[in-house]
Structure formats: C-alpha cells, structure tokens
Amino acid sequence: QGPKILLTGRPEERAVGLLAATQITELFFGDWLVEMPGLCLLAEDMQLPAITFAKKNWMHESGYRALLDISAEPIRHARFETLWVVDDRGTNDGREARFCELRRRIRGKVADGTASGRVYLARGNSGQARHMVNVGAVEAHLEKLGFDTVHPEQETPEALARKLATARTVVTVEGSAQVHALLAMPERGRLVVLQPPDRFTAPGKDMADMAGLSYAFMVGDVAEGGFSIDLDRLSRTIALAEETP
C-alpha cells in the first residue's frame, strides 16, 4: 500500500474542467511530454479549462509549455461539478491530429535548425535505470559515423528542438529522451532505439507512426551491471534503417 493522502482546508469550487494529467504523466517525463500537451489541445477543442495537479515541475516542463503554447492550471484541492477524465491512449484520428499539431507548433519555431543530419541523444542519469555499460565506445563509434552527441539534460527544449529539426536519423536508448526527437524530427526521419534486453518496451513506435517517422530498434546484450551494444550490429541496424524509403 502506498502512502495515504490527507487533504486539509476547504476545496476550491469549480464548475467544469478537463484533467490534463494521468497517473503515468506524474511518474515519467516522456509520458508527460506526450500526454499532457495533447490533453491540453483536447481541452482547447472542447472549450474547457485544462486542469493539472500542483506539483514540482519536470526539468524541461516550463520550456516545453512555452514552446508548445499550452497551459493547464495547477490545482491542489478542488471540487468540480463536472470534471472530464479522458482515456487518451488510443492512436485514433483525434489523438494523431493533436500529436501532429504539437509537432507543427515546435517545428514552426525551429525551422532554421542546422543539425548535421545525424544525432545521438545521450541518456542522462534520471529516470528508470537503463545502464549501457559501453556507452563511451558507443558514443565514439557514432561520432565516427557522423553523429552529433546531444545531452538533453544540458539543453533547453528550444535548443534541443533546433538540433533535432533536420536530423534524418536519431539514435537513443529507449526512454523519455526519444520523445524530444519524436516531436521535433522532420517527417520521414528515422528513429533508432537501443533496447535493454531485460525490459523491452516500444511506445515510440505508435508515436513514430502518427508522425510519419520510421522506427527501428536494436536489442542489446546482457552484461554485468546492465547491457552492452555490439558496435558492428549497431552500424548495420542504422544502415538498414536509413535504407527504408
């Protein structure tokens, strides 16, 4: 059992709102970056105020709110006459249109991006553990292949988007970092995701399909303390991804 929540004080009284948050958006930044702005767009379409939980912001939250021109009012304790809680997980026409609108808003502000065309998005130290034990060798190998290494935790959302705006190929370890690319890459770009062998997950595939991007993955090898990536197999995976029309 988790901790019990104790609400004190008198709740705010509200007529109507749409909850632009889910349990998962409060736990993982990548889910927040996709789902919360998409629900804000749905609230706009329905002419409803978007509501979210009052909490500490994610590292890039303020920058992305500004870049995407979305807002949701943070509330700690309120009572609504009508509160819309939307299951927005399906990749239906409405969600696809809103995801593409988020991409349009970002890319419209960074159209002069000057990336080399190949970007490696490094994984930071936050989030769920996905320890690539030969990360230094992978980065050096990718740089020899013409990839620019970008560390998301050292960049603002706008700077990240500019570096990704013309990236025809992006390589990254599976996790929240891939969403930066999915929102900013040009259509028909290729995302190559490095997967740990013990926790395969591919939510980026649905988003890539909605955005008109190709999605490829490579599963790493079990290694002491995490997983490793075979460099020759990585080169061949990238070559196959870039051969995709």
Side-chain angles (χ1 to χ4, degrees):
Q1 293 183 350
K4 295 181 179 180
I5 298 174
L6 177 64
L7 296 175
T8 60
R10 193 175 186 84
E12 299 179 47
E13 299 290 341
R14 298 296 182 96
V16 66
L18 185 148
L19 184 62
T22 68
Q23 182 182 21
I24 205 76
T25 64
E26 305 309 290
L27 294 175
F28 303 110
F29 171 72
D31 294 274
W32 177 89
L33 183 51
V34 175
E35 295 186 34
M36 184 273 190
L39 286 167
C40 286
L41 293 185
L42 181 60
E44 288 179 16
D45 291 343
M46 298 175 66
Q47 298 183 327
L48 296 171
I51 305 299
T52 191
F53 300 113
K55 63 173 182 57
K56 181 180 178 180
N57 282 356
W58 294 103
M59 178 188 301
H60 288 119
E61 180 170 341
S62 297
Y64 268 113
R65 282 176 181 257
L67 197 58
L68 292 165
D69 192 24
I70 54 98
S71 63
E73 182 184 359
I75 290 182
R76 180 179 178 274
H77 188 193
R79 180 164 51 204
F80 288 81
E81 292 182 19
T82 302
L83 178 65
W84 288 77
V85 180
V86 180
D87 185 342
D88 201 33
R89 292 172 293 179
T91 52
N92 53 42
D93 290 346
R95 186 170 177 225
E96 179 176 330
R98 284 181 279 116
F99 186 73
C100 290
E101 171 62 15
L102 296 176
R103 281 176 44 81
R104 187 195 67 78
R105 291 187 182 193
I106 285 181
R107 290 186 50 75
K109 294 180 179 179
V110 296
D112 58 340
T114 55
S116 69
R118 282 177 155 188
V119 170
Y120 168 63
L121 275 180
R123 180 168 177 79
N125 297 318
S126 60
Q128 297 290 307
R130 296 173 181 83
H131 183 49
M132 187 163 60
V133 299
N134 62 335
V135 60
V138 169
E139 289 185 6
H141 182 71
L142 289 172
E143 287 171 3
K144 287 180 181 178
L145 294 178
F147 282 80
D148 289 335
T149 298
V150 175
H151 296 271
E153 293 179 353
Q154 299 174 15
E155 305 282 353
T156 65
E158 184 173 351
L160 268 172
R162 290 191 183 280
K163 292 180 178 182
L164 292 163
T166 58
R168 69 179 185 274
T169 304
V170 174
V171 175
T172 190
V173 175
E174 198 285 321
S176 294
Q178 67 185 319
V179 184
H180 298 298
L182 288 161
L183 285 172
M185 288 178 70
E187 192 173 349
R188 293 184 296 280
R190 288 96 174 190
L191 179 65
V192 179
V193 178
L194 308 181
Q195 295 273 3
D198 58 346
R199 51 165 300 150
F200 185 93
T201 180
K205 176 63 167 66
D206 287 340
M207 289 180 272
D209 288 347
M210 289 191 291
L213 303 171
S214 295
Y215 178 93
F217 67 87
M218 172 184 169
V219 178
D221 300 310
V222 175
E224 185 176 353
F227 70 100
S228 64
I229 292 294
D230 181 85
L231 302 183
D232 180 63
R233 193 153 59 92
L234 175 58
S235 294
R236 288 186 281 119
T237 300
I238 292 169
L240 284 170
E242 293 185 334
E243 288 173 6
T244 303

